[in-house]
Amino acid sequence: MKKVWGRLYLALVLFILYLPIFYLIVFSFSNGKNMDVFHGFTLTHYKDLFADGRLLAIFLDTIMLALLSSLIATIIGTMGAIAIDGTKNKKKKTVLLSLNNVLMVSPDVIIGASFLVFFTALGLSLGFGSVLLSHIAFSIPIVVLMVLPRLKEMDKSLIDAVRDLGANNWQVYSKVLIPAITPGILSGLFMALTYSLDDFAVTFFVTGNGFTTLSVEIYSRARQGIDLEINALSTLMFLIVLVLVGGYYLLTTRHSHKGNKPEIGGLIK
C-alpha cells in the first residue's frame, strides 16, 4: 500500500511540474494569438520563429555560450576537484569547499550585481566576454560538486599501483584517474550546460553591447505581451534538453556496461 501511495505522490509531483510545459507546447500549435483558447492546429508560429532572424541569432549565441562556458568550467572544475580531494590538511580542505560553495548558496541577484561591479571596476565592457566569464564562474562550483563524490569513491591504491609500475603523471591522469571519474565529469558538464542555458538573473546584469541570451530576450518580449512564437521556441528548447538528458543517460549506461554502476542523478535542480 505504501508503494502505491508513493507512486501516486510521485506521479502527482511530475504532473504538476510538467503541466505548464505541456501547456506551452500545446498552444505553440494553436492558430490563435494568445493562450486563452485553443483555435485549431497550425505550424504558423514555428514558421514565424524560423523566419525571425534576430531570435535565431540569439538562440545560436545562447547555445554557443552554454557549450563554451560549460566546457571551460568542466575543465577548471575537474582540476579544482582533484586539487581539493588531494589536499591533506582537513581545515584547508574545509575552507576550499566552503569557498567553492559560496556561489552555490548566494542569490543570483547578488552574484549578478557583484559581477557587474567587478567588471565595471576593471573597466571591462559588457557583452559576450562578460557573460561568458560570469557563466564559467558560477558553473565551476557545480562541476566540483559533481566530480568530488567520484574522487572519494575511487580506490586510491590504483594510483599507487600504476606509479609503482613506472607510470608518469600524464599516464596516471589519462589512463586511471580521468576514466574513473568520467561519470562525475559528464554530470558536471551537463549540469553546467543546463545552468547556463536557463540563467537569467546573472546574465541580465552583465549583458550589453547588443549581446543577449534567450532568457533575457524572452523576458523582454513577455513584458510586451504573450507571443506564441515564444511557445514554439520553448518547445524546441524542451526537446533539446530531452536530447541532452537522453545522451547523458546513454553515456552513463554505456559506462555501466563496462563494469561501473550507472549514475543518472544530479540532473534535476
Side-chain angles (χ1 to χ4, degrees):
M1 190 64 179
K2 290 183 178 180
K3 291 184 178 180
V4 175
W5 282 109
R7 292 175 180 176
L8 289 176
Y9 175 76
L10 178 60
L12 178 62
V13 171
L14 292 176
F15 175 77
I16 295 175
L17 289 175
Y18 281 92
L19 180 61
I21 298 176
F22 289 122
Y23 185 77
L24 289 175
I25 293 176
V26 169
F27 276 92
S28 70
F29 299 101
S30 173
N31 197 28
K33 298 295 183 181
N34 53 52
M35 291 190 291
D36 294 336
V37 179
F38 190 85
H39 292 280
F41 182 86
T42 183
L43 295 175
T44 301
H45 304 299
Y46 289 89
K47 294 179 181 178
D48 294 339
L49 171 63
F50 287 107
D52 191 338
R54 169 180 165 79
L55 197 58
L56 289 178
I58 294 174
F59 173 77
L60 293 177
D61 287 342
T62 302
I63 297 297
M64 181 178 66
L65 172 70
L67 290 174
L68 187 57
S69 64
S70 60
L71 180 61
I72 297 175
T74 300
I75 295 173
I76 299 175
T78 300
M79 295 173 61
I82 294 174
I84 293 174
D85 184 69
T87 303
K88 303 301 181 181
N89 190 301
K90 292 185 178 180
K91 291 185 178 180
K92 186 177 180 180
K93 180 181 289 189
T94 301
V95 171
L96 291 174
L97 287 173
S98 300
L99 292 175
N100 176 77
N101 294 335
V102 168
L103 289 177
M104 294 290 295
V105 299
S106 298
D108 288 343
V109 174
I110 302 300
I111 296 174
S114 300
F115 281 129
L116 176 60
V117 173
F118 177 72
F119 293 134
T120 303
L122 293 179
L124 300 177
S125 60
L126 300 180
F128 177 79
S130 61
V131 178
L132 177 62
L133 291 175
S134 300
H135 281 223
I136 293 173
F138 68 65
S139 296
I140 289 175
I142 302 169
V143 178
V144 172
L145 291 179
M146 293 292 103
V147 176
L148 274 177
R150 300 297 305 186
L151 287 169
K152 292 181 179 179
E153 294 174 1
M154 180 182 175
D155 186 1
K156 299 299 190 299
S157 61
L158 291 175
I159 296 179
D160 296 332
V162 296
R163 287 191 185 279
D164 291 340
L165 292 174
N168 55 37
N169 289 333
W170 170 250
Q171 291 173 328
V172 170
Y173 278 91
S174 61
K175 301 297 184 180
V176 179
L177 186 59
I178 298 302
I181 63 175
T182 294
I185 295 176
L186 292 176
S187 297
L189 175 64
F190 281 97
M191 284 292 290
L193 185 64
T194 55
Y195 265 71
S196 179
L197 284 174
D198 68 5
D199 178 74
F200 168 76
V202 176
T203 306
F204 183 79
F205 279 93
V206 298
T207 191
N209 291 338
F211 179 80
T212 187
T213 61
L214 277 178
S215 58
V216 177
E217 179 67 14
I218 291 174
Y219 171 76
S220 300
R221 295 195 179 197
R223 295 180 63 184
Q224 301 172 3
I226 298 175
D227 186 354
L228 295 187
E229 185 180 332
I230 300 301
N231 289 46
L233 177 61
S234 300
T235 301
L236 294 180
M237 291 295 295
F238 178 70
L239 293 177
I240 290 174
V241 172
L242 283 181
V243 171
L244 291 175
V245 173
Y248 174 80
Y249 176 78
L250 290 176
L251 288 174
T252 53
T253 302
R254 181 178 301 178
H255 192 273
S256 70
H257 289 164
K258 296 179 181 180
N260 295 315
K261 295 181 179 180
E263 287 189 6
I264 58 175
L267 286 177
I268 300 176
K269 40 171 200 166

